[in-house]
Amino acid sequence: MSDKKNVLIIGGHGKVALKLAPLLVRDGFSVHSLIRNPDQSEDITKTGANPVVKDVASLTAEEWDELLIGVDAVVWSAGAGGKGGTEATYAVDRDGAIASIDAAQRSESSPRYIMVSFWGSTTVDLPEDNSLYHYSLAKRAADQHLLDSSLDFAILAPTALTMERAKGIDVHTVEDTANQERPADTSRELVAHVAAYEVEAPTAPNKIIPFADGDSQLGDALG
């Protein structure tokens, strides 16, 4: 295990985050899961994480700074999820993510930053009539901000997500996301395992990692 101790999961009640928290707790991390709805606190506690009730869309820079004191790794797994329309999508998926990246850069603890994104976020241009058009623009802006940052990071770019059990992984290149048809789907459980791997790895890859369900072992594919 790496020397990372305190992990902040932003979007702690998401399907990936609820699978990630127990993995990190099992491996000895102190996990804090940020949620907006206090009614979700019990679900967070069941994972072994500590619930932190905050709204990422309304935090000030000072509140972000306070939130990240002593944090060794940040995992962004939040999303508006289509609730609240276009305005909420940009407020959470773009502005909230960018604010957290800026706070991480200001933090004395220099946390590693793991962004849960999606396949082709920086390479695939969706048409305006696509239901994910505004989401894709928001995520692209956030991902690019992280790419341009001074942080150690990993941007996870899975294909369409499922609730299937994790088996193996198939890792691709960013060029693949622009030049080839999207491969198989990706289980959320696999995304959680990849996020945990990148939190715990001795060094951060500092790149986008496109991946899907496959046949390779995690350590072989990512190491």
Side-chain angles (χ1 to χ4, degrees):
M1 188 179 74
S2 75
D3 60 357
K4 300 294 182 185
K5 300 299 181 184
N6 296 300
V7 181
L8 175 66
I9 301 176
I10 302 173
H13 200 258
K15 293 181 176 68
V16 170
L18 289 173
K19 294 179 181 296
L20 170 61
L23 298 177
L24 295 172
V25 171
R26 178 198 65 190
D27 289 345
F29 290 85
S30 177
V31 181
H32 309 272
S33 289
L34 190 150
I35 53 177
R36 185 178 62 85
N37 184 352
D39 294 340
Q40 297 169 345
S41 296
E42 184 177 353
D43 292 339
I44 298 302
T45 303
K46 288 178 181 178
T47 70
N50 305 305
V52 179
V53 181
K54 302 283 184 182
D55 183 355
V56 299
S58 61
L59 288 176
T60 65
E62 291 75 16
E63 289 171 329
W64 273 116
D65 290 344
E66 183 177 354
L67 190 61
L68 266 62
I69 292 174
V71 170
D72 297 295
V74 175
V75 180
W76 179 276
S77 191
K83 299 177 181 178
T86 301
E87 183 177 348
T89 294
Y90 285 113
V92 174
D93 294 287
R94 183 190 64 190
D95 301 340
I98 287 174
S100 71
I101 293 166
D102 288 343
Q105 291 185 96
R106 294 191 299 267
S107 175
E108 292 183 0
S109 61
S110 300
R112 181 177 298 180
Y113 197 107
I114 312 301
M115 173 72 79
V116 178
S117 189
F118 69 99
W119 177 275
S121 69
T122 62
T123 59
V124 177
D125 296 318
L126 296 180
E128 291 188 30
D129 60 354
N130 189 292
S131 61
L132 296 177
Y133 174 71
H134 292 290
Y135 171 78
S136 71
L137 293 184
K139 291 296 288 181
R140 175 173 293 190
D143 288 359
Q144 190 60 55
H145 198 71
L146 184 54
L147 287 167
D148 294 337
S149 76
S150 61
L151 297 171
D152 284 331
F153 69 90
I155 297 176
L156 312 189
T159 54
L161 299 177
T162 73
M163 292 301 293
E164 299 297 320
R165 292 296 305 273
K167 295 180 181 178
I169 187 172
D170 186 8
V171 175
H172 295 260
T173 67
V174 173
E175 290 72 25
D176 288 341
T177 66
N179 298 327
Q180 75 171 41
E181 185 177 345
R182 192 185 72 193
D185 292 340
T186 310
S187 74
R188 288 179 171 86
E189 187 176 64
L190 176 59
V191 178
H193 280 284
V194 174
Y197 180 94
E198 295 301 347
V199 167
E200 301 188 41
T203 59
N206 294 333
K207 66 179 183 179
I208 300 173
I209 306 172
F211 64 95
D213 291 341
D215 299 321
S216 299
Q217 296 295 313
L218 209 63
D220 293 338
L222 298 174

